[in-house]
Amino acid sequence: MKREMLRLRSWESSLAALFVLVAIPASAAADHGYKGSPYHDSRHQGGAQRVPGRVDCAYYDLGGEGIAYHDSDAKNNGSGALNPADGTYLNQFRMDEGVDTSYTKFHDEIDNNPYDVVQPPENLLYVGWTEPGEWFKITVEVARAGLYSADLLYTSNRGGTISLDVNGKAGTQPLTIQSTFNAADPIAWRQWHHWNIAPGLVKLRLPKGRSVLTVHILSGGNMNLAYFDFKRVG
């Protein structure tokens, strides 16, 4: 009997050790099966974007259509199109991907126009030409678990709604984006370039470590999304 008890205890100890070896941290387990990866290129060294801090939309993950993003068409309407493919980094940024990207320009008072509520930095990359049903993923590294709030730098010709997921699960309700349309601007196309900040638009509870955020365009579209500035609450 004593020999059998010793064997049983030895087996239980081995099994417990096995569970310790294969245990997966909660943040890593949340990413299980996701084949995207943080963005990087020759100029932007990349890695998961840090929270708290600024999370840039144009640096959405690598992985392509259906993995790191979904876009309504395969053409990048900004890079290589509106912005000619002339060999420069900004004009050709991610030009072969479906997500439409561009950058702020200060010539001819495009993005530094008098109808800005907030003037953005020059040459700031952003995601634009957004349409309902589109989405993109951003991998973040969270310094400390807790509740976070984020301001959004954006433009919106006609208003709309977005939402954010955390590791594949709904993180927010639909979030209302106020229109930045200003009838006083005499230049029609500049309605897409009236920049503003939505303070505290996003509130998310995030685990410590790596997580994947998914930004969904729910309604409205015609929004330019530059970055979310995350701060820990409390």
Side-chain angles (χ1 to χ4, degrees), residues 59-214:
Y59 296 138
Y60 64 90
D61 284 359
L62 296 168
E65 170 64 38
I67 296 174
Y69 67 83
H70 169 64
D71 201 84
S72 57
D73 62 60
K75 178 182 178 181
N76 188 326
N77 290 292
S79 298
L82 174 69
N83 307 323
D86 59 2
T88 61
Y89 179 80
L90 290 174
N91 277 8
Q92 295 191 190
F93 179 78
R94 308 190 81 165
M95 63 181 288
D96 296 322
E97 299 183 31
V99 176
D100 307 297
T101 53
S102 190
Y103 61 96
T104 54
K105 306 173 182 73
F106 280 13
H107 64 82
D108 302 314
E109 292 190 325
I110 296 176
D111 292 290
N112 60 334
N113 64 75
Y115 302 94
D116 283 340
V117 180
V118 173
Q119 184 173 296
E122 188 177 11
N123 297 330
L124 176 68
L125 289 158
Y126 61 85
V127 169
W129 289 266
T130 53
E131 294 293 340
E134 295 181 342
W135 51 264
F136 55 90
K137 294 179 181 287
I138 304 172
T139 298
V140 297
E141 186 73 27
V142 181
R144 185 177 172 189
L147 181 64
Y148 287 83
S149 113
D151 304 339
L152 171 64
L153 179 64
Y154 77 102
T155 79
S156 177
N157 188 23
R158 60 182 183 228
T161 56
I162 66 171
S163 68
L164 275 73
D165 292 351
V166 180
N167 299 319
K169 296 181 180 180
T172 71
Q173 297 294 320
L175 306 171
T176 299
I177 305 295
Q178 298 294 333
S179 173
T180 55
F181 181 90
N182 188 333
D185 192 339
I187 302 174
W189 57 260
R190 206 160 56 187
Q191 295 294 345
W192 282 270
H193 298 269
H194 298 162
W195 290 91
N196 195 11
I197 284 181
L201 176 73
V202 178
K203 287 186 172 56
L204 281 178
R205 190 163 294 280
L206 298 171
K208 181 179 178 179
R210 184 162 291 199
S211 284
V212 178
L213 308 182
T214 307

